[in-house]
């Protein structure tokens, strides 16, 4: 009886264990199937016996489609050596983990992190393999994007003249710019990832400064305050750095580290220490400093160093009898005096600030002052460090000016586009009126004169919008490799015939490099500059034109140093009245002019500026009042052969082809259709990109050419063109627009669009373009 009970208890226990085992197995199966990682089980030859949903899905299959396949079908040919190495490692160690590229059902490849392990039976004999797979394509793309961003950021950071240092929460170095590496004497790979406090600080200060860092991270001290401390160079020498810190946060607002900018103030601190020790030591250091250093007491300048004399142009004797306030620009004196008085009264103000001074020559200079209160001969005084930042301020002004010009350019382009659409309606209807009047009609001659007057007014309006488009971003259309010598010589012949009071002197580079330009717009630039020179020489004068091959380097002090390469330089010098500094600073602004209102719009030089910028070049001016002006143009050179211009017939050519006209403006559709019909064309019209696709799909065998507007809502000209090319790779497309912002026209032409016509255009211009595209 007892034995029966014991056997029953054993059976019950086994049943319970089996039930728990089944439950655990079921839970394990659910977990595997719901895992975001791909999991696969195979035999030793790699034939799949089980895969979860994630593994099948990431390869573009269902689980049933995968079972029985060999793992090799999921590996690219380029990964064979990598897979073989992984298999060798798996056989040797029983495990492998690494990056492997896999191929999907549709042939697309994607990167993974794969972890393989050998499955063994109870005796330890290998019976199969299990693999876990993680798709890391998003991580790879994010890493690539981050690398590109970091590369751009690194270029900007390395230009900075201060130390830029980023630390994570634990004080590990995540960023150090070129200036910081120079000061510390390390290479970048020697510092990144290292702990800042253990590596770059003197041992005696490591704990103290790390404590301050932790307080900063906890928000217990103000990051806006300046801090200074010694740092330890690789060679064991110390430098003193003044730091300004910024707390770095993630998108959720959590603190992830600090970004600090630091200025090497070692020499400054040495000077201050020397002043406390002896006047002789002070002079030895101060006289070799690159900053203007002097003491100010009772408003007078005392002990100015040689740099002070050089900066303001006065001798030491003259300076020591000069009140400091007398060299400050009149407009900044009140501000400087107020700050000084407030600091004397105990107000907490930054000791470093900027203002203007006037040197002995009367020149205006921007300076940065760092002033320290000291006791001199037992009375209050200030020790002053004055630095010339005029060039830095000019650079800041150039950046602000470039942003302003870009914004105005975008506005100008939009205005010109809308205005050109209106002019298109006027031009088109005027052309049609004349075409529809019988030349034998007695009223024809009078109508012709009136219509010609309308067309001239439209042309004047079109010239004005051309100036605006030249200034706007992306305003070049038909770019061709060009011999600029030939273009300039031909333009000079035309100008010389009309302005005989101007003597032109020419000096050209014999083997001038080719440049890719919109020839019409470069002629417009030359014309604007020539007219500007002519107006500056009302009694006649000399105009010097020259070309030159130029190679600009990163070390050159010019506006193109970020893009060093070969340029073609065009110089235009006149012997006119010249310009003052204030006029030169504004000369390229739109609508700025020194002429009377009736003599100019102020768009000529602004248009020239925009055109050259849009070609990837730059234009600058050098001038003095009464000494003439020189404009220098730099255009990127290219290696392409010069594209010779083809002569096109001036006659209006007939056309019996079927044309699809696409434009979202009803007025353009109406007048364009009438123009095309007057040329003999059969016309189909579409008011949008989507409608154009539908019409072309149904009539592609009949349509010979598509006239496509570039700027349309929903589906623009670029997207419409790409879709047409998919339907018919040989489709003929004439692109039409009132403007081209951000280089859209050039991009579409580069993708195979046949030609471009700018609004407004008349029947003659339209017939020429159609003839060019269809080669008739």
């Amino acid at each position: 009886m007892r034995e029966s009970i014991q056997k029953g208890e054993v059976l019950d226990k086994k049943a319970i264990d089996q039930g728990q085992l089944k439950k655990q197995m079921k839970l394990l199966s659910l977990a595997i199937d719901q895992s975001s990682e791909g999991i696969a089980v195979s035999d030793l030859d790699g034939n799949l016996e089980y895969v979860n949903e994630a593994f099948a899905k990431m390869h573009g299959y269902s689980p049933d489609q995968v079972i029985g396949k060999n793992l090799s079908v999921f590996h690219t040919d380029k990964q064979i050596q990598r897979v073989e190495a992984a298999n060798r490692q798996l056989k040797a160690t029983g495990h492998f983990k690494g990056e492997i590229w896999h191929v999907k059902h549709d042939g697309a490849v994607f990167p993974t992190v794969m972890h393989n392990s050998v499955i063994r039976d109870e005796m330890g004999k290998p019976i199969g393999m299990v693999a876990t797979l993680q798709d890391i394509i998003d991580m790879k793309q994010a890493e690539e994007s981050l690398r590109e961003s970091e590369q751009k950021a690194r270029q900007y950071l390395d230009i900075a003249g201060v130390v830029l240092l980023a630390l994570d929460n634990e004080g590990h170095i995540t960023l150090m710019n070129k200036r910081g590496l120079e000061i510390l004497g390390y290479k970048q790979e020697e510092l990144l990832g290292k702990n800042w406090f253990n590596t770059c600080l003197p041992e005696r200060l490591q704990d103290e400064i790390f404590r301050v860092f932790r307080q900063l991270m906890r928000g217990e001290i103000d990051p806006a305050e300046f801090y200074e401390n010694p740092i330890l160079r690789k060679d064991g020498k110390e430098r003193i750095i003044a730091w300004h810190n910024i707390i770095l946060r993630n998108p959720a607002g959590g603190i992830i580290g600090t970004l600090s900018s630091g200025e090497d103030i070692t020499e400054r601190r040495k000077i201050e220490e020397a002043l406390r020790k002896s006047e002789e030591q002070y002079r030895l250091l101060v006289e070799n400093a690159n900053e203007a250093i002097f003491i100010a007491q009772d408003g007078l300048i005392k002990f100015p160093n040689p740099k002070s004399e050089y900066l303001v142009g006065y001798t030491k004797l003259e300076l020591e009898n000069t009140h400091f306030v007398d060299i400050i620009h009149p407009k900044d004196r009140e501000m400087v005096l107020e700050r000084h008085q407030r600091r004397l009264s105990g107000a907490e103000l930054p000791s470093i600030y900027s203002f203007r001074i006037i040197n002995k020559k009367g020149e205006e200079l921007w300076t940065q002052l760092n002033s320290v209160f000291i006791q001199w001969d037992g009375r209050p005084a200030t020790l002053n460090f004055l630095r010339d930042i005029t060039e830095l301020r000019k650079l800041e002004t150039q950046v602000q000016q470039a942003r302003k010009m870009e914004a105005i350019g975008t506005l100008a382009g939009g205005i010109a586009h809308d205005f050109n659409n209106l002019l298109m309606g006027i031009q088109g209807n005027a052309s049609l009126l004349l075409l529809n009047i019988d030349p034998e009609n007695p009223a024809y001659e009078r109508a012709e004169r009136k219509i010609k007057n309308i067309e001239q007014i439209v042309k004047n309006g079109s010239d004005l919008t051309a100036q605006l488009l030249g200034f706007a971003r992306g305003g070049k259309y038909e770019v061709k490799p060009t011999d600029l010598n030939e273009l300039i010589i031909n333009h000079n012949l035309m100008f010389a015939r009309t302005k005989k009071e101007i003597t032109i002197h020419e000096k050209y580079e014999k083997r001038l490099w080719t440049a890719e330009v919109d020839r019409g717009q470069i002629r417009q630039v030359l014309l604007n500059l020539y007219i500007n020179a002519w107006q500056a020489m009302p009694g006649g004068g000399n105009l010097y034109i020259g070309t030159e091959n130029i190679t600009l380097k990163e070390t050159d002090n010019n506006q193109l140093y970020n893009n060093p390469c070969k340029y073609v330089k065009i110089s235009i010098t006149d012997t006119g009245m010249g310009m003052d500094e204030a006029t030169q600073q504004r000369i390229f602004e739109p609508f700025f002019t020194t002429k009377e209102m009736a003599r100019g719009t102020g768009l000529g030089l602004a248009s020239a500026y925009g055109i050259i910028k849009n070609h990837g070049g730059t234009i600058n001016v050098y001038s003095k009042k009464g000494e003439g002006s020189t404009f220098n143009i730099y255009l990127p050179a290219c290696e392409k052969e010069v594209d010779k211009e083809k002569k096109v017939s001036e006659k209006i050519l007939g056309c019996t082809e079927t044309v699809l006209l696409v434009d979202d403006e009803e007025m353009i559709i109406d007048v364009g259709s009438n123009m095309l019909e007057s040329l003999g064309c059969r016309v189909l019209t579409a008011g949008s990109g989507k409608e154009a696709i539908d019409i072309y799909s149904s009539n592609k065998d009949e349509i010979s050419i598509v006239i496509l507007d570039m700027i349309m809502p929903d589906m623009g000209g670029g997207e419409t063109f790409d879709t047409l090319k998919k339907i018919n790779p040989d489709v003929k497309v004439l692109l039409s627009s009132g403007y081209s912002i951000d280089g859209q026209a050039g991009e579409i032409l580069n993708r195979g669009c046949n030609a471009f016509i700018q609004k407004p255009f008349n029947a003659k211009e339209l017939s020429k373009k159609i003839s060019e595209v269809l080669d008739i």
Side-chain angles (χ1 to χ4, degrees), residues 169-330:
N169 283 329
E170 300 302 320
H172 296 106
I173 301 168
T174 59
L175 179 145
M176 172 70 74
N177 73 335
K178 185 177 180 181
R179 176 60 177 158
L181 295 171
E182 289 173 350
I183 291 176
L184 286 163
Y186 284 96
K187 295 180 180 179
Q188 188 177 91
E189 57 268 24
E190 295 177 309
L191 281 183
L192 289 184
K194 297 291 182 63
N195 187 281
W196 167 256
F197 303 95
N198 297 338
T199 307
C200 300
L201 294 181
E203 186 175 353
R204 68 184 186 278
L205 299 174
Q206 289 175 4
D207 291 340
E208 178 187 349
I209 296 177
F210 183 74
R211 178 178 56 78
V212 174
F213 173 76
R214 299 308 301 170
Q215 289 177 322
L216 182 66
M217 297 296 289
R218 292 193 298 267
E220 296 173 1
I221 56 178
D222 185 3
E225 293 182 12
F226 281 91
Y227 300 90
E228 62 181 73
N229 61 267
I231 61 171
L232 189 66
R233 286 174 45 86
K234 184 179 181 180
D235 59 11
K237 296 179 180 179
E238 293 184 7
R239 305 293 293 178
I240 302 174
I241 306 295
W243 299 101
H244 175 70
N245 303 302
I246 298 173
I247 298 296
L248 298 178
R249 299 178 184 273
N250 60 25
I255 295 176
I256 59 173
T258 60
L259 175 64
S260 305
S261 63
E263 181 183 3
D264 186 348
I265 59 169
T266 307
E267 300 304 323
R268 189 185 304 169
R269 289 293 174 260
K270 287 181 180 178
I271 292 170
E272 293 173 0
E273 182 65 20
L275 282 171
R276 285 190 289 271
K277 291 180 179 179
S278 72
E279 182 178 343
E280 183 60 32
Q281 289 179 343
Y282 156 77
R283 289 194 179 280
L284 289 174
L285 294 171
V286 167
E287 287 179 358
N288 293 289
N290 287 324
E291 291 180 322
I293 303 173
F294 56 91
I295 292 174
Q297 191 177 56
D298 302 326
L300 291 173
I301 298 173
K302 298 183 177 182
F303 306 109
N305 70 340
K307 186 67 175 181
S308 301
E309 299 178 58
Y310 174 80
L311 181 62
V312 297
Y314 293 99
T315 66
K316 180 179 179 181
L317 182 62
E318 288 173 327
L319 280 174
E320 290 185 339
N321 290 283
T322 300
H323 278 77
F324 180 56
V325 72
D326 291 340
I327 67 171
I328 300 173
H329 193 287

Side-chain angles (χ1 to χ4, degrees), residues 29-220:
S29 177
L30 286 172
I32 292 174
D33 281 336
Q34 294 179 16
S35 172
S36 61
E37 293 186 343
I39 300 175
V41 178
S42 71
D43 60 22
L44 291 174
D45 294 325
N47 298 312
L48 290 169
E49 298 176 348
Y50 167 81
V51 298
N52 70 346
E53 185 71 28
F55 183 95
K57 186 176 180 180
M58 68 174 59
H59 289 89
Y61 295 91
S62 67
D64 293 336
Q65 292 175 307
V66 175
I67 300 301
K69 289 184 180 294
N70 191 277
L71 281 170
S72 62
V73 303
F74 304 111
H75 297 145
T76 66
D77 293 338
K78 294 181 180 179
Q79 292 282 293
I80 289 176
Q81 292 183 349
R82 176 68 170 156
V83 172
E84 289 176 351
N87 288 335
R88 288 194 297 272
Q89 182 179 339
L90 189 63
K91 290 178 181 179
T93 66
H95 297 279
F96 166 77
K97 185 176 182 179
E99 287 188 16
I100 297 287
W101 283 81
H102 276 230
V103 61
K104 293 185 179 183
H105 182 51
D106 61 4
V109 295
F110 63 101
T112 70
V113 171
M114 190 164 76
H115 188 177
N116 287 6
S117 298
V118 173
I119 302 173
R120 301 179 185 274
D121 61 14
E122 294 177 352
M123 304 300 293
K125 179 182 178 181
I127 60 173
M129 297 181 291
V130 61
T132 60
L133 205 65
Q134 182 183 1
D135 186 344
I136 60 170
I137 188 168
D138 291 338
M139 183 179 73
K140 287 289 186 182
Q141 291 173 345
E143 288 175 351
E144 182 63 24
S145 178
L146 180 61
R147 277 195 295 271
E148 292 177 359
S149 299
E150 286 177 346
Q151 185 178 8
K152 291 180 181 177
R154 172 62 62 182
Q155 293 174 350
Y156 294 120
L157 294 176
D158 283 345
I159 296 173
V162 296
V163 179
L164 292 174
L165 167 69
L167 304 177
D168 66 13
N169 283 329
E170 300 302 320
H172 296 106
I173 301 168
T174 59
L175 179 145
M176 172 70 74
N177 73 335
K178 185 177 180 181
R179 176 60 177 158
L181 295 171
E182 289 173 350
I183 291 176
L184 286 163
Y186 284 96
K187 295 180 180 179
Q188 188 177 91
E189 57 268 24
E190 295 177 309
L191 281 183
L192 289 184
K194 297 291 182 63
N195 187 281
W196 167 256
F197 303 95
N198 297 338
T199 307
C200 300
L201 294 181
E203 186 175 353
R204 68 184 186 278
L205 299 174
Q206 289 175 4
D207 291 340
E208 178 187 349
I209 296 177
F210 183 74
R211 178 178 56 78
V212 174
F213 173 76
R214 299 308 301 170
Q215 289 177 322
L216 182 66
M217 297 296 289
R218 292 193 298 267
E220 296 173 1

Side-chain angles (χ1 to χ4, degrees), residues 281-502:
Q281 289 179 343
Y282 156 77
R283 289 194 179 280
L284 289 174
L285 294 171
V286 167
E287 287 179 358
N288 293 289
N290 287 324
E291 291 180 322
I293 303 173
F294 56 91
I295 292 174
Q297 191 177 56
D298 302 326
L300 291 173
I301 298 173
K302 298 183 177 182
F303 306 109
N305 70 340
K307 186 67 175 181
S308 301
E309 299 178 58
Y310 174 80
L311 181 62
V312 297
Y314 293 99
T315 66
K316 180 179 179 181
L317 182 62
E318 288 173 327
L319 280 174
E320 290 185 339
N321 290 283
T322 300
H323 278 77
F324 180 56
V325 72
D326 291 340
I327 67 171
I328 300 173
H329 193 287
K331 292 183 179 180
D332 291 343
R333 285 175 187 169
E334 184 177 348
M335 179 270 293
V336 175
L337 289 172
E338 181 187 1
R339 289 179 64 93
H340 181 68
Q341 291 300 325
R342 289 179 64 190
R343 290 191 69 202
L344 282 176
S345 64
E348 292 292 332
L349 294 174
S351 61
I352 302 175
Y353 63 101
S354 303
F355 57 87
R356 291 166 292 179
I357 66 170
I358 303 295
N359 66 14
K360 189 174 183 179
K361 295 180 181 179
E363 298 170 332
E364 178 183 303
L365 301 176
W366 273 99
T367 60
Q368 184 181 77
L369 177 70
N370 182 17
S371 181
V372 180
F373 284 109
I374 62 171
Q375 288 291 317
W376 187 260
D377 289 339
R379 293 187 298 111
T382 55
L383 175 62
N384 302 279
F385 302 85
L386 196 66
R387 185 160 61 100
D388 185 355
I389 60 169
T390 305
E391 292 303 317
L392 179 62
R393 293 292 295 228
K394 286 181 179 179
L395 181 60
E396 291 174 351
T397 302
Q398 288 175 2
V399 171
Q400 293 172 356
Q401 179 74 358
R403 290 174 178 169
K404 180 175 71 174
M405 298 285 268
E406 183 177 5
I408 295 174
T410 301
L411 175 63
I415 293 172
H417 167 262
D418 292 343
F419 193 49
N420 271 343
N421 274 340
L422 295 174
L423 292 175
M424 180 68 226
I426 298 170
Q427 172 71 73
N429 282 296
S431 296
L432 290 170
L433 281 173
L434 195 60
L435 287 172
N436 293 330
I437 299 176
D438 186 348
E440 302 299 325
N441 191 315
Y444 179 82
E445 186 176 345
R446 181 181 178 188
E448 183 181 29
R449 286 198 306 270
K450 296 293 184 183
I451 290 171
K452 291 295 184 184
N453 288 338
I454 293 172
E455 289 184 333
Q456 183 58 47
I457 293 170
V458 170
K459 184 180 183 305
N460 293 341
S462 180
D463 290 343
L464 180 60
T465 58
Q467 299 274 28
L468 285 171
L469 286 173
F471 174 71
R473 293 175 62 226
K476 61 182 186 295
Y477 304 109
E478 297 184 78
V479 178
K480 298 176 182 178
T482 300
D483 180 351
L484 289 173
N485 276 348
E486 182 180 346
L487 186 148
I488 295 169
I489 291 169
N490 291 336
H491 188 79
N492 289 353
L493 291 173
M494 178 190 70
F495 186 77
R497 285 196 296 268
T498 59
K499 308 297 180 187
K500 295 183 178 180
E501 68 273 26
I502 303 297

